[in-house]
Amino acid sequence: MGGLEKGSIGLVINNTQVLKDAKTFSVVIDSKTREYEYTGGKYLIIKDSRIWNPTAQLKIIFSNDKNETIFESDY
């Protein structure tokens, strides 16, 4: 994970289960969740106006097509 500019971060996804099975990802900041479609790319740029610095405090949750959590992590 790395900060890009105000309002965005970049991720490199190495988890094979996420790459294969994830259909959505959610970004949780200040207990508020926004869900986005995930298309299976190894590199992901998340644009969200709530991200305000390179070390944003957030949680990212990847889910499959049954809305089951595959992977989650706090950053």
Side-chain angles (χ1 to χ4, degrees):
M1 181 176 113
L4 299 174
E5 62 183 37
K6 183 178 178 181
S8 64
I9 60 168
L11 296 175
V12 177
I13 300 167
N14 292 315
N15 183 307
T16 55
Q17 186 177 13
V18 169
L19 290 167
K20 186 177 101 186
D21 297 330
K23 300 298 180 199
T24 62
F25 66 93
S26 300
V27 177
V28 183
I29 299 174
D30 295 332
S31 301
K32 295 178 183 160
T33 304
R34 289 188 185 160
E35 186 174 270
Y36 303 90
E37 181 181 1
Y38 176 66
T39 58
K42 182 172 176 90
Y43 305 102
L44 179 63
I45 296 175
I46 300 172
K47 294 182 180 185
D48 189 313
S49 61
R50 300 173 300 161
I51 299 169
W52 57 273
N53 66 39
T55 56
Q57 304 246 333
L58 54 94
K59 176 182 272 195
I60 299 176
I61 304 166
F62 287 91
S63 302
N64 63 16
D65 57 352
K66 297 176 185 172
N67 207 30
E68 299 168 330
T69 298
I70 296 172
F71 178 84
E72 69 179 77
S73 185
D74 293 315
Y75 296 99

Coordinates of all heavy atoms in Angstrom, one line a residue:
M1 N 0.8 -1.2 0.0 CA 0.0 0.0 0.0 C 0.9 1.2 0.0 O 1.9 1.3 0.6 CB -0.9 0.0 1.2 CG -1.8 1.2 1.3 SD -2.9 1.2 2.7 CE -2.3 2.5 3.6
G2 N 0.5 2.2 -0.7 CA 1.2 3.5 -0.7 C 0.3 4.6 -1.1 O -0.7 4.5 -1.8
G3 N 0.6 5.8 -0.5 CA -0.1 7.0 -0.8 C 0.3 7.6 -2.1 O 1.4 7.6 -2.5
L4 N -0.7 8.0 -2.9 CA -0.4 8.6 -4.2 C -0.6 10.1 -4.2 O 0.3 10.8 -4.5 CB -1.4 7.9 -5.2 CG -1.2 6.4 -5.4 CD1 -2.3 5.9 -6.4 CD2 0.1 6.1 -5.9
E5 N -1.8 10.5 -3.9 CA -2.1 11.9 -3.8 C -3.3 12.0 -2.9 O -4.0 11.0 -2.6 CB -2.4 12.5 -5.2 CG -3.5 11.9 -5.9 CD -3.7 12.5 -7.3 OE1 -2.8 12.8 -8.0 OE2 -4.9 12.6 -7.6
K6 N -3.7 13.2 -2.5 CA -4.9 13.4 -1.7 C -6.1 12.7 -2.3 O -6.4 12.9 -3.5 CB -5.1 14.9 -1.5 CG -6.3 15.2 -0.6 CD -6.5 16.7 -0.4 CE -7.7 17.0 0.5 NZ -7.9 18.4 0.6
G7 N -6.7 11.9 -1.6 CA -7.9 11.2 -2.0 C -7.7 9.9 -2.7 O -8.6 9.3 -3.3
S8 N -6.4 9.3 -2.7 CA -6.2 8.0 -3.3 C -5.1 7.3 -2.6 O -4.1 7.9 -2.1 CB -6.0 8.2 -4.8 OG -4.8 8.9 -5.0
I9 N -5.1 5.9 -2.7 CA -4.0 5.1 -2.3 C -3.9 4.0 -3.4 O -4.8 3.7 -4.1 CB -4.2 4.4 -0.9 CG1 -5.5 3.6 -0.9 CG2 -4.2 5.5 0.2 CD1 -5.6 2.7 0.3
G10 N -2.7 3.4 -3.4 CA -2.5 2.3 -4.4 C -2.2 1.0 -3.6 O -1.5 1.0 -2.6
L11 N -2.7 -0.1 -4.1 CA -2.4 -1.4 -3.5 C -1.8 -2.4 -4.5 O -2.2 -2.3 -5.7 CB -3.7 -2.1 -3.0 CG -4.5 -1.4 -1.9 CD1 -5.8 -2.2 -1.7 CD2 -3.7 -1.4 -0.6
V12 N -0.9 -3.2 -4.1 CA -0.4 -4.3 -4.9 C -1.0 -5.6 -4.2 O -0.8 -5.8 -3.0 CB 1.1 -4.4 -4.9 CG1 1.6 -5.6 -5.7 CG2 1.7 -3.2 -5.5
I13 N -1.8 -6.3 -5.0 CA -2.5 -7.5 -4.4 C -1.8 -8.8 -4.7 O -1.6 -9.1 -5.9 CB -4.0 -7.5 -4.9 CG1 -4.7 -6.2 -4.5 CG2 -4.7 -8.7 -4.4 CD1 -6.0 -6.0 -5.1
N14 N -1.3 -9.5 -3.7 CA -0.6 -10.7 -3.9 C -1.4 -11.9 -3.4 O -0.9 -13.1 -3.6 CB 0.8 -10.7 -3.2 CG 1.7 -9.7 -3.8 OD1 1.8 -9.6 -5.0 ND2 2.3 -8.8 -3.0
N15 N -2.5 -11.7 -2.8 CA -3.3 -12.8 -2.3 C -4.0 -13.5 -3.4 O -4.9 -12.9 -4.1 CB -4.3 -12.2 -1.2 CG -5.1 -13.3 -0.6 OD1 -5.8 -14.1 -1.2 ND2 -5.2 -13.3 0.7
T16 N -3.7 -14.7 -3.7 CA -4.3 -15.4 -4.9 C -5.8 -15.6 -4.7 O -6.5 -15.6 -5.7 CB -3.6 -16.8 -5.1 OG1 -3.6 -17.6 -3.9 CG2 -2.1 -16.6 -5.5
Q17 N -6.3 -15.8 -3.5 CA -7.7 -16.0 -3.4 C -8.5 -14.7 -3.7 O -9.5 -14.7 -4.3 CB -8.1 -16.5 -1.9 CG -9.6 -16.8 -1.8 CD -9.9 -17.3 -0.4 OE1 -9.1 -17.2 0.5 NE2 -11.1 -17.9 -0.3
V18 N -7.9 -13.6 -3.3 CA -8.5 -12.3 -3.7 C -8.5 -12.1 -5.2 O -9.5 -11.8 -5.8 CB -7.8 -11.1 -3.0 CG1 -8.2 -9.8 -3.5 CG2 -8.0 -11.1 -1.5
L19 N -7.4 -12.4 -5.8 CA -7.2 -12.2 -7.2 C -8.2 -13.1 -8.0 O -8.8 -12.7 -9.0 CB -5.8 -12.5 -7.7 CG -4.7 -11.5 -7.3 CD1 -3.3 -12.1 -7.5 CD2 -4.9 -10.2 -8.0
K20 N -8.5 -14.3 -7.5 CA -9.3 -15.2 -8.2 C -10.8 -15.1 -7.8 O -11.7 -15.1 -8.7 CB -8.9 -16.7 -7.8 CG -9.6 -17.8 -8.5 CD -9.1 -19.1 -8.1 CE -10.1 -19.7 -7.2 NZ -9.7 -20.9 -6.6
D21 N -11.2 -14.8 -6.6 CA -12.6 -14.9 -6.2 C -13.3 -13.6 -5.8 O -14.5 -13.5 -5.7 CB -12.7 -15.8 -4.9 CG -12.3 -17.2 -5.3 OD1 -12.5 -17.7 -6.4 OD2 -11.8 -17.9 -4.4
A22 N -12.5 -12.5 -5.5 CA -13.1 -11.3 -5.1 C -13.9 -10.6 -6.2 O -13.5 -10.6 -7.3 CB -12.1 -10.3 -4.5
K23 N -15.1 -10.1 -5.8 CA -16.0 -9.4 -6.7 C -16.2 -7.9 -6.3 O -16.5 -7.1 -7.1 CB -17.3 -10.1 -6.8 CG -17.3 -11.5 -7.3 CD -16.7 -11.5 -8.7 CE -16.6 -13.0 -9.2 NZ -15.7 -13.2 -10.3
T24 N -16.1 -7.7 -5.0 CA -16.2 -6.3 -4.5 C -15.1 -6.1 -3.4 O -14.6 -7.0 -2.8 CB -17.6 -6.0 -3.8 OG1 -17.8 -6.9 -2.7 CG2 -18.7 -6.2 -4.9
F25 N -14.9 -4.8 -3.2 CA -14.1 -4.4 -2.0 C -14.7 -3.2 -1.3 O -15.4 -2.4 -2.0 CB -12.6 -4.1 -2.4 CG -12.4 -2.9 -3.2 CD1 -12.1 -1.7 -2.6 CD2 -12.4 -3.0 -4.6 CE1 -11.9 -0.6 -3.4 CE2 -12.2 -1.9 -5.4 CZ -11.9 -0.7 -4.8
S26 N -14.6 -3.2 0.0 CA -15.2 -2.1 0.8 C -14.1 -1.3 1.4 O -13.1 -1.9 1.9 CB -16.2 -2.7 1.8 OG -17.2 -3.4 1.2
V27 N -14.3 0.0 1.5 CA -13.3 0.8 2.2 C -14.1 1.4 3.4 O -15.1 2.0 3.3 CB -12.8 2.0 1.3 CG1 -11.9 2.9 2.1 CG2 -12.1 1.4 0.1
V28 N -13.5 1.2 4.6 CA -14.2 1.7 5.8 C -13.3 2.7 6.5 O -12.1 2.5 6.8 CB -14.4 0.5 6.9 CG1 -15.1 1.0 8.1 CG2 -15.1 -0.7 6.2
I29 N -13.8 3.9 6.6 CA -13.1 5.0 7.2 C -14.1 5.7 8.1 O -15.2 6.0 7.7 CB -12.6 6.1 6.1 CG1 -11.6 5.4 5.2 CG2 -11.9 7.3 6.8 CD1 -11.2 6.3 4.0
D30 N -13.6 5.9 9.4 CA -14.5 6.6 10.4 C -15.8 5.8 10.5 O -16.9 6.5 10.6 CB -14.7 8.0 10.0 CG -13.4 8.9 10.1 OD1 -12.5 8.5 10.9 OD2 -13.4 9.9 9.4
S31 N -15.8 4.5 10.5 CA -17.0 3.6 10.7 C -18.0 3.8 9.5 O -19.1 3.3 9.6 CB -17.7 3.9 12.0 OG -16.8 3.7 13.1
K32 N -17.6 4.4 8.4 CA -18.5 4.5 7.3 C -18.0 3.7 6.1 O -16.8 3.8 5.8 CB -18.7 6.0 6.9 CG -19.4 6.8 7.9 CD -19.5 8.2 7.6 CE -20.2 9.0 8.7 NZ -20.0 10.4 8.7
T33 N -18.8 2.9 5.5 CA -18.4 1.9 4.5 C -18.8 2.4 3.1 O -20.0 2.8 2.9 CB -18.9 0.5 4.8 OG1 -18.5 0.1 6.1 CG2 -18.4 -0.5 3.8
R34 N -17.9 2.3 2.1 CA -18.3 2.4 0.7 C -17.8 1.2 0.0 O -16.7 0.7 0.2 CB -17.6 3.7 0.1 CG -18.2 4.9 0.7 CD -17.7 6.1 -0.1 NE -18.2 7.4 0.6 CZ -17.6 8.5 0.4 NH1 -16.6 8.7 -0.3 NH2 -18.2 9.6 1.0
E35 N -18.7 0.7 -0.9 CA -18.4 -0.6 -1.6 C -18.1 -0.3 -3.1 O -18.8 0.6 -3.7 CB -19.5 -1.6 -1.5 CG -19.2 -2.9 -2.1 CD -20.3 -3.9 -1.8 OE1 -20.2 -4.6 -0.8 OE2 -21.2 -4.0 -2.6
Y36 N -17.1 -1.0 -3.6 CA -16.7 -0.8 -5.0 C -16.6 -2.2 -5.7 O -16.3 -3.2 -5.1 CB -15.3 -0.1 -5.1 CG -15.3 1.2 -4.4 CD1 -14.9 1.3 -3.1 CD2 -15.6 2.4 -5.1 CE1 -14.8 2.5 -2.4 CE2 -15.5 3.6 -4.4 CZ -15.1 3.7 -3.1 OH -15.1 4.9 -2.4
E37 N -16.8 -2.2 -7.0 CA -16.6 -3.4 -7.8 C -15.1 -3.7 -7.9 O -14.3 -2.7 -8.1 CB -17.2 -3.2 -9.2 CG -17.1 -4.4 -10.1 CD -17.6 -4.2 -11.4 OE1 -18.2 -3.1 -11.7 OE2 -17.6 -5.2 -12.2
Y38 N -14.7 -4.9 -7.8 CA -13.3 -5.4 -8.0 C -13.2 -6.2 -9.3 O -14.0 -7.2 -9.4 CB -12.8 -6.1 -6.8 CG -11.4 -6.7 -6.9 CD1 -10.3 -5.8 -7.0 CD2 -11.2 -8.0 -7.0 CE1 -9.1 -6.3 -7.2 CE2 -9.9 -8.5 -7.2 CZ -8.9 -7.7 -7.3 OH -7.6 -8.2 -7.4
T39 N -12.4 -5.9 -10.2 CA -12.3 -6.6 -11.5 C -11.1 -7.6 -11.5 O -10.8 -8.1 -12.6 CB -12.2 -5.6 -12.6 OG1 -11.0 -4.7 -12.4 CG2 -13.4 -4.7 -12.7
G40 N -10.4 -7.8 -10.4 CA -9.4 -8.8 -10.4 C -8.0 -8.4 -10.7 O -7.1 -9.2 -11.0
G41 N -7.7 -7.1 -10.8 CA -6.4 -6.7 -11.1 C -5.4 -6.8 -10.0 O -5.8 -6.7 -8.8
K42 N -4.2 -7.0 -10.3 CA -3.1 -7.1 -9.3 C -2.8 -5.8 -8.6 O -2.4 -5.7 -7.5 CB -1.8 -7.7 -9.9 CG -0.7 -7.9 -8.9 CD 0.4 -8.7 -9.5 CE 1.6 -8.7 -8.5 NZ 1.5 -9.9 -7.6
Y43 N -3.0 -4.7 -9.4 CA -2.8 -3.3 -9.0 C -4.1 -2.6 -8.9 O -4.9 -2.7 -9.8 CB -1.8 -2.6 -9.9 CG -0.5 -3.3 -10.1 CD1 -0.3 -4.1 -11.3 CD2 0.5 -3.4 -9.2 CE1 0.8 -4.8 -11.5 CE2 1.6 -4.1 -9.4 CZ 1.8 -4.8 -10.5 OH 3.0 -5.5 -10.7
L44 N -4.3 -2.0 -7.7 CA -5.6 -1.3 -7.5 C -5.3 0.1 -6.9 O -4.6 0.3 -6.0 CB -6.4 -2.1 -6.5 CG -7.7 -1.6 -6.0 CD1 -8.7 -1.6 -7.2 CD2 -8.3 -2.5 -4.9
I45 N -6.0 1.0 -7.6 CA -5.9 2.4 -7.0 C -7.3 2.7 -6.5 O -8.3 2.6 -7.2 CB -5.5 3.4 -8.1 CG1 -4.1 3.1 -8.6 CG2 -5.7 4.9 -7.6 CD1 -3.6 4.0 -9.7
I46 N -7.4 3.1 -5.2 CA -8.6 3.4 -4.6 C -8.7 4.9 -4.5 O -7.9 5.5 -3.9 CB -8.7 2.8 -3.2 CG1 -8.6 1.2 -3.3 CG2 -10.0 3.2 -2.5 CD1 -8.5 0.5 -2.0
K47 N -9.7 5.4 -5.1 CA -10.0 6.9 -5.0 C -11.2 7.1 -4.1 O -12.3 6.6 -4.4 CB -10.3 7.4 -6.4 CG -9.0 7.4 -7.3 CD -9.3 8.0 -8.7 CE -8.1 7.8 -9.5 NZ -8.2 8.5 -10.8
D48 N -11.0 7.9 -3.1 CA -12.0 8.1 -2.1 C -11.7 9.5 -1.5 O -10.6 9.6 -0.9 CB -12.1 7.0 -1.1 CG -13.3 7.1 -0.2 OD1 -13.6 8.2 0.3 OD2 -14.0 6.1 0.0
S49 N -12.6 10.4 -1.5 CA -12.3 11.8 -1.0 C -12.0 11.7 0.5 O -11.4 12.7 1.0 CB -13.4 12.7 -1.3 OG -14.6 12.2 -0.7
R50 N -12.4 10.7 1.2 CA -12.1 10.6 2.6 C -10.6 10.3 2.9 O -10.2 10.4 4.1 CB -13.0 9.5 3.3 CG -14.5 9.9 3.1 CD -15.4 8.7 3.6 NE -15.1 7.5 2.8 CZ -15.4 6.3 3.2 NH1 -16.1 6.1 4.4 NH2 -15.1 5.2 2.5
I51 N -9.9 9.8 2.0 CA -8.5 9.5 2.2 C -7.7 10.9 2.0 O -7.7 11.5 0.9 CB -8.0 8.5 1.1 CG1 -8.7 7.2 1.3 CG2 -6.5 8.3 1.3 CD1 -8.5 6.3 0.1
W52 N -7.1 11.4 3.1 CA -6.6 12.7 3.1 C -5.1 12.8 3.3 O -4.5 13.9 3.2 CB -7.3 13.6 4.1 CG -7.3 13.1 5.5 CD1 -8.1 12.2 6.0 CD2 -6.3 13.3 6.5 NE1 -7.7 11.9 7.3 CE2 -6.6 12.6 7.6 CE3 -5.2 14.2 6.5 CZ2 -5.8 12.6 8.8 CZ3 -4.4 14.2 7.6 CH2 -4.7 13.5 8.8
N53 N -4.4 11.7 3.5 CA -3.0 11.8 3.5 C -2.4 10.4 3.2 O -3.1 9.4 3.1 CB -2.5 12.3 4.9 CG -2.8 11.3 6.1 OD1 -2.7 10.1 5.9 ND2 -3.2 11.9 7.2
P54 N -1.1 10.3 3.0 CA -0.5 9.1 2.5 C -0.5 7.9 3.6 O -0.3 6.8 3.2 CB 1.0 9.4 2.3 CG 1.0 10.9 2.1 CD -0.1 11.4 2.9
T55 N -0.9 8.3 4.8 CA -1.0 7.2 5.8 C -2.4 7.2 6.4 O -2.6 7.3 7.6 CB 0.0 7.4 7.0 OG1 -0.1 8.7 7.5 CG2 1.5 7.2 6.5
A56 N -3.3 7.1 5.5 CA -4.8 7.1 5.9 C -5.0 5.9 6.8 O -4.5 4.8 6.7 CB -5.6 7.0 4.7
Q57 N -5.9 6.1 7.8 CA -6.4 5.0 8.7 C -7.6 4.4 8.1 O -8.7 5.1 8.1 CB -6.6 5.6 10.1 CG -5.4 6.3 10.6 CD -4.8 5.6 11.8 OE1 -5.5 4.9 12.5 NE2 -3.5 5.7 12.0
L58 N -7.6 3.2 7.6 CA -8.7 2.7 6.9 C -8.7 1.1 7.0 O -7.7 0.5 7.3 CB -8.8 3.1 5.5 CG -7.6 2.9 4.6 CD1 -7.7 1.6 3.8 CD2 -7.5 4.1 3.6
K59 N -9.8 0.5 6.7 CA -9.9 -0.9 6.6 C -10.4 -1.2 5.2 O -11.3 -0.5 4.7 CB -10.9 -1.5 7.6 CG -11.2 -3.0 7.5 CD -12.2 -3.5 8.5 CE -11.4 -3.8 9.7 NZ -12.2 -4.6 10.7
I60 N -9.8 -2.3 4.6 CA -10.3 -2.7 3.3 C -10.7 -4.2 3.4 O -10.0 -5.0 4.0 CB -9.1 -2.6 2.2 CG1 -8.7 -1.1 2.1 CG2 -9.6 -3.2 0.9 CD1 -7.6 -0.9 1.2
I61 N -11.9 -4.4 2.8 CA -12.5 -5.8 2.9 C -12.8 -6.2 1.5 O -13.5 -5.6 0.8 CB -13.8 -5.8 3.8 CG1 -13.5 -5.2 5.2 CG2 -14.4 -7.2 3.9 CD1 -14.7 -4.8 5.9
F62 N -12.3 -7.4 1.1 CA -12.6 -8.0 -0.2 C -13.6 -9.1 0.1 O -13.5 -9.9 1.0 CB -11.3 -8.6 -0.8 CG -10.4 -7.6 -1.4 CD1 -9.4 -7.1 -0.6 CD2 -10.5 -7.1 -2.7 CE1 -8.5 -6.1 -1.1 CE2 -9.6 -6.2 -3.2 CZ -8.6 -5.7 -2.4
S63 N -14.6 -9.1 -0.8 CA -15.7 -10.1 -0.7 C -16.0 -10.8 -2.0 O -15.7 -10.3 -3.1 CB -17.0 -9.4 -0.3 OG -16.9 -8.7 1.0
N64 N -16.5 -12.1 -1.9 CA -16.8 -12.8 -3.1 C -18.2 -12.5 -3.6 O -18.9 -11.7 -3.0 CB -16.6 -14.3 -2.9 CG -17.5 -14.9 -1.8 OD1 -18.5 -14.4 -1.4 ND2 -17.1 -16.1 -1.4
D65 N -18.7 -13.3 -4.6 CA -20.0 -13.0 -5.1 C -21.2 -13.4 -4.2 O -22.3 -13.1 -4.4 CB -20.2 -13.7 -6.5 CG -20.0 -15.2 -6.4 OD1 -19.5 -15.7 -5.4 OD2 -20.2 -15.9 -7.5
K66 N -20.8 -14.1 -3.1 CA -21.8 -14.5 -2.1 C -21.8 -13.5 -0.9 O -22.4 -13.8 0.1 CB -21.6 -15.9 -1.6 CG -21.8 -16.9 -2.7 CD -21.5 -18.3 -2.2 CE -21.5 -19.3 -3.3 NZ -21.0 -20.6 -2.9
N67 N -21.0 -12.4 -1.1 CA -20.8 -11.4 0.0 C -20.1 -12.0 1.2 O -20.3 -11.5 2.3 CB -22.1 -10.7 0.3 CG -21.9 -9.3 0.8 OD1 -20.9 -8.7 0.4 ND2 -22.7 -8.9 1.7
E68 N -19.3 -13.0 1.0 CA -18.5 -13.6 2.1 C -17.1 -12.9 2.1 O -16.6 -12.7 1.0 CB -18.3 -15.1 1.9 CG -19.6 -15.9 1.9 CD -19.4 -17.3 1.4 OE1 -18.5 -17.6 0.6 OE2 -20.2 -18.1 1.9
T69 N -16.6 -12.6 3.2 CA -15.3 -11.9 3.3 C -14.2 -12.9 3.0 O -14.1 -14.0 3.5 CB -15.1 -11.3 4.7 OG1 -16.1 -10.4 5.0 CG2 -13.7 -10.7 4.9
I70 N -13.4 -12.5 2.0 CA -12.2 -13.3 1.6 C -11.0 -12.8 2.4 O -10.2 -13.6 2.8 CB -12.0 -13.2 0.1 CG1 -13.1 -13.7 -0.7 CG2 -10.7 -13.9 -0.3 CD1 -13.1 -13.5 -2.2
F71 N -10.8 -11.5 2.5 CA -9.7 -10.9 3.1 C -10.0 -9.6 3.6 O -10.8 -8.8 3.0 CB -8.5 -10.8 2.1 CG -7.3 -10.2 2.6 CD1 -6.3 -10.9 3.3 CD2 -7.0 -8.8 2.4 CE1 -5.2 -10.4 3.8 CE2 -5.9 -8.2 2.9 CZ -4.9 -9.0 3.6
E72 N -9.5 -9.2 4.8 CA -9.6 -7.8 5.3 C -8.4 -7.4 6.0 O -7.7 -8.3 6.6 CB -10.9 -7.7 6.2 CG -10.8 -8.4 7.5 CD -12.1 -8.2 8.3 OE1 -13.1 -8.8 8.0 OE2 -12.0 -7.4 9.2
S73 N -8.1 -6.2 6.0 CA -6.9 -5.7 6.7 C -7.1 -4.2 7.0 O -7.7 -3.5 6.3 CB -5.7 -5.8 5.8 OG -4.5 -5.5 6.5
D74 N -6.5 -3.9 8.2 CA -6.5 -2.4 8.6 C -5.2 -1.8 8.1 O -4.1 -2.5 8.2 CB -6.5 -2.4 10.1 CG -7.9 -2.8 10.7 OD1 -8.9 -2.4 10.1 OD2 -7.9 -3.6 11.7
Y75 N -5.2 -0.6 7.7 CA -4.1 0.1 7.2 C -4.0 1.4 8.0 O -4.9 2.0 8.3 CB -4.1 0.4 5.7 CG -4.1 -0.9 4.9 CD1 -5.3 -1.4 4.4 CD2 -2.9 -1.5 4.7 CE1 -5.3 -2.6 3.7 CE2 -2.9 -2.7 3.9 CZ -4.1 -3.2 3.4 OH -4.1 -4.4 2.7

